[in-house]
Amino acid sequence: MPSSRKKLVVVALGGLAGVAGAWTYFRRRDATDRQPQKKKVEDIDLSLKQVQVIFRHGARTPLHLIPGIEEATYDKKKWRKPFPLTVYDYEVLNIDGKEAPDSKYEEYYNKLGLLKGGCPHGMLTYLGQVQTYNLGRRLRKCYIGKLPGRLMSEFDPDLVYLRTTNMNRTKDSLRCVLAGIFGAEQLQEYNEKNGQKVTFYTSTQEDEHLFPNPHTCPVLKRINRAAIVDGVDLPEFLEERQEIEKVLGLKGNDWKHKIHFISARDDLVARSAHGLPIPKVLVPYVTKITENAVQLFTYSFIGQHELQNDIASNLSSGRMLEQFRNAIRDFVIEKRPVRLFLYSAHDSSLMALLLALKLDDKHWPPFASDLLFELHQCNNSKEYYVIVRYNGEAVVLPKLKKRYVEIGQESAVPLKYFMRYLNEEKVMEAREYRKVCESNILDIIAEEIEKREGLKIEDKEAEEMTDRPAGM
């Protein structure tokens, strides 16, 4: 890392006060030993017990536009209409069962006005509805039906939990995924037969943990800011940013006329997904914009220095992983019978989890991507096993590689090792989360960086502040 960039990293870290010694607290011990597993389990001896799926919403209109080029046209007659196979009645409640809170994010999007063509910013389009419906069809093929080993054959609210962030595109995506799994007609029949609507649950902006949320944690907010606000001036991106600005006729002297790689990628990806042309002047820079955006995206979840990585990653993903762990635990101890969890979330949700579990392949999670946790039980030994899948393909958690066992043509990790790994290294419970978020952990890390590298810590006033997680 060039020393000039390291200096800017440190600059973005100051200003928090709280519990001393938090950095030492996060030097976690190794959760696994190094003994390989020789055991094989026949797949015929396993029964599928539970599936948890967290997925990104489908294709949407852009949240950000690139300055200096003509705005793309998103025709509301083509993209704003509902996909017929996903239409049924549903209601959205707060996670405590009370009335759903207003969405501050939607209020922000409304203030932006309509895009050229009449569509709102960040709206799930017709294409996005089809994508998430197809995700639901894939899930149905794997997990739903009357065949042995399936979770259930029809929708049952006691066995299915439906969770979404409080944004229209994630609510609509959940609607479409559920329709793909159970069928819109069957869901409407359930409504009419039972005199109640299918229920989705959401949370307030201040309490949401289905993505790395800067509103819940000052430390996470500072890490996020260092990437998506101060990151625009990081030396490693400066030359390429200025080259693109020059091509577009931008002077880059103020915030609105600088090229932000994450925002620029957002505009380009939305155009590409919907078959809209990429401006010719930007075609030579698409790859570089994408690569730089992914790097800044990563920084927003794990920080820009190796000493920040563990704490930043735990803050970004630990509360999500806590929810997944609790769902498994409650099922195993017969506290909660839910067999299918659907979490409708964002690219930031998936990227934070992929980075935390060391599954990241340096690619931005595409629209309608999913990360899935299967819980199986051996019929003979009654031991539980976990299989993790990303976009339908089984993946191996690197830290637990030697703990995996063969199950037919696939590999699974015994639940006891999976849970120990989450508990000792990845999960961050509410009390722990608050303690670290209120601490001076970034000051401690900055001092350690200074000690190691001889850097001087300076104060820097950013041009503008943002509270919105990268990529969302």
Side-chain angles (χ1 to χ4, degrees):
M1 182 187 296
S3 61
S4 58
R5 205 199 100 205
K6 292 175 182 175
K7 182 175 181 180
L8 186 55
V9 171
V10 177
V11 162
L13 297 182
L16 294 179
V19 183
W23 172 241
T24 303
Y25 179 80
F26 273 90
R27 296 179 184 270
R28 297 179 183 243
R29 62 188 179 89
D30 190 348
T32 62
D33 60 31
R34 301 301 181 209
Q35 297 301 317
Q37 288 283 315
K38 303 293 186 181
K39 183 178 176 182
K40 291 186 178 181
V41 179
E42 296 297 331
D43 57 343
I44 194 171
D45 291 333
L46 289 183
S47 295
L48 179 65
K49 295 299 182 180
Q50 184 190 71
V51 173
Q52 297 186 72
V53 191
I54 182 167
F55 56 91
R56 186 189 179 190
H57 55 74
R60 56 160 171 77
T61 54
L63 298 174
H64 311 281
L65 301 176
I66 301 174
I69 61 173
E70 184 178 356
E71 183 180 332
T73 300
Y74 293 88
D75 186 355
K76 64 179 181 181
K77 293 181 180 179
K78 182 177 183 180
W79 299 120
R80 205 169 181 178
K81 61 184 180 181
F83 181 40
L85 295 180
T86 69
V87 177
Y88 57 92
D89 294 327
Y90 66 93
E91 65 177 351
V92 182
L93 299 178
N94 194 28
I95 52 177
D96 59 7
K98 298 179 180 179
E99 183 179 355
D102 293 332
S103 173
K104 294 182 180 179
Y105 284 105
E106 293 302 327
E107 292 176 4
Y108 169 75
Y109 301 143
N110 290 337
K111 291 179 181 178
L112 297 177
L114 297 177
L115 295 162
K116 187 178 179 181
C119 289
H121 289 74
M123 178 200 76
L124 187 75
T125 63
Y126 189 88
L127 171 63
Q129 294 175 69
V130 173
Q131 290 173 330
T132 43
Y133 175 79
N134 287 338
L135 169 59
R137 297 303 294 174
R138 172 163 66 81
L139 295 174
R140 175 179 178 82
K141 183 178 180 180
C142 294
Y143 305 114
I144 305 300
K146 296 182 178 180
L147 295 175
R150 300 302 174 97
L151 293 172
M152 64 200 74
S153 60
E154 59 185 23
F155 178 73
D156 183 342
D158 292 331
L159 302 181
V160 181
Y161 184 72
L162 307 170
R163 179 75 162 82
T164 175
T165 62
N166 198 15
M167 301 180 206
N168 290 340
R169 60 182 175 275
T170 49
K171 296 172 189 175
D172 289 336
S173 293
L174 181 54
R175 182 197 84 225
C176 296
V177 169
L178 194 66
I181 295 176
F182 294 106
E185 291 186 5
Q186 287 75 11
L187 292 168
Q188 192 61 33
E189 288 177 3
Y190 164 83
N191 290 340
E192 296 170 358
K193 179 179 179 181
N194 293 278
Q196 62 184 47
K197 296 179 180 179
V198 173
T199 303
F200 300 171
Y201 294 96
T202 191
S203 181
T204 63
Q205 179 175 276
E206 293 75 18
D207 295 327
E208 185 60 83
H209 294 291
L210 278 187
F211 55 78
N213 189 350
H215 292 280
T216 64
C217 181
V219 174
L220 192 56
K221 183 175 184 177
R222 185 59 62 90
I223 295 168
N224 189 58
R225 175 194 175 96
I228 66 174
V229 177
D230 300 326
V232 71
D233 291 321
L234 286 174
E236 64 185 289
F237 306 116
L238 186 60
E239 183 177 341
E240 290 168 351
R241 174 174 72 76
Q242 291 177 337
E243 180 181 350
I244 297 172
E245 289 169 355
K246 183 177 180 180
V247 168
L248 296 180
L250 302 172
K251 294 183 178 181
N253 294 328
D254 60 74
W255 177 262
K256 292 183 179 180
H257 293 91
K258 289 184 178 181
I259 290 297
H260 301 260
F261 290 109
I262 289 177
S263 299
R265 179 196 173 276
D266 187 76
D267 191 346
L268 295 176
V269 168
R271 289 172 184 254
S272 179
H274 295 93
L276 301 174
I278 304 297
K280 292 182 180 180
V281 68
L282 284 176
V283 171
Y285 301 100
V286 169
T287 299
K288 189 52 63 177
I289 288 173
T290 301
E291 290 175 351
N292 290 342
V294 171
Q295 188 61 63
L296 285 166
F297 196 46
T298 300
Y299 286 164
S300 72
F301 306 129
I302 65 171
Q304 298 170 40
H305 193 284
E306 61 181 6
L307 292 182
Q308 302 170 23
N309 291 167
D310 287 344
I311 184 64
S313 181
N314 275 274
L315 290 173
S316 294
S317 64
R319 295 301 307 280
M320 283 189 281
L321 288 167
E322 180 193 20
Q323 294 182 62
F324 305 150
R325 180 208 63 182
N326 290 351
I328 293 174
R329 180 198 62 197
D330 291 349
F331 181 87
V332 170
I333 65 174
E334 300 182 352
K335 179 180 178 180
R336 192 179 187 191
V338 177
R339 307 197 71 186
L340 176 62
F341 288 81
L342 298 178
Y343 306 95
S344 185
H346 305 268
D347 48 3
S348 56
S349 312
L350 291 182
M351 193 65 165
L353 290 166
L354 292 173
L355 289 167
L357 298 173
K358 310 301 182 185
L359 297 174
D360 172 46
D361 60 356
K362 302 302 181 184
H363 290 87
W364 203 290
F367 291 125
S369 294
D370 70 287
L371 182 64
L372 184 149
F373 301 87
E374 295 176 358
L375 178 66
H376 299 261
Q377 187 177 32
C378 179
N379 295 323
N380 295 324
S381 69
K382 303 305 179 183
E383 185 174 2
Y384 287 96
Y385 297 86
V386 174
I387 297 178
V388 182
R389 300 184 191 276
Y390 180 53
N391 288 334
E393 299 295 326
V395 294
V396 173
L397 302 179
K399 191 64 177 288
L400 297 177
K401 184 176 181 179
K402 294 184 179 181
R403 288 299 190 183
Y404 274 77
V405 299
E406 297 178 18
I407 301 181
Q409 301 299 313
E410 294 189 302
S411 295
V413 62
L415 179 63
K416 58 185 177 182
Y417 298 122
F418 179 75
M419 295 293 266
R420 183 187 302 171
Y421 172 58
L422 293 187
N423 286 333
E424 296 185 356
E425 296 194 37
K426 299 302 175 183
V427 163
M428 184 172 277
E429 296 181 345
R431 180 181 299 179
E432 182 182 8
Y433 183 81
R434 288 193 299 270
K435 179 180 178 181
V436 179
C437 287
E438 295 169 359
S439 77
N440 64 336
I441 183 69
L442 293 184
D443 289 330
I444 296 172
I445 295 174
E447 290 173 3
E448 180 67 17
I449 295 173
E450 181 187 15
K451 184 187 304 182
R452 293 188 182 189
E453 302 170 358
L455 298 177
K456 180 181 179 181
I457 300 176
E458 300 176 355
D459 292 327
K460 178 179 181 292
E461 192 69 29
E463 295 84 354
E464 184 174 319
M465 187 64 173
T466 179
D467 291 333
R468 286 165 183 80
M472 276 187 16

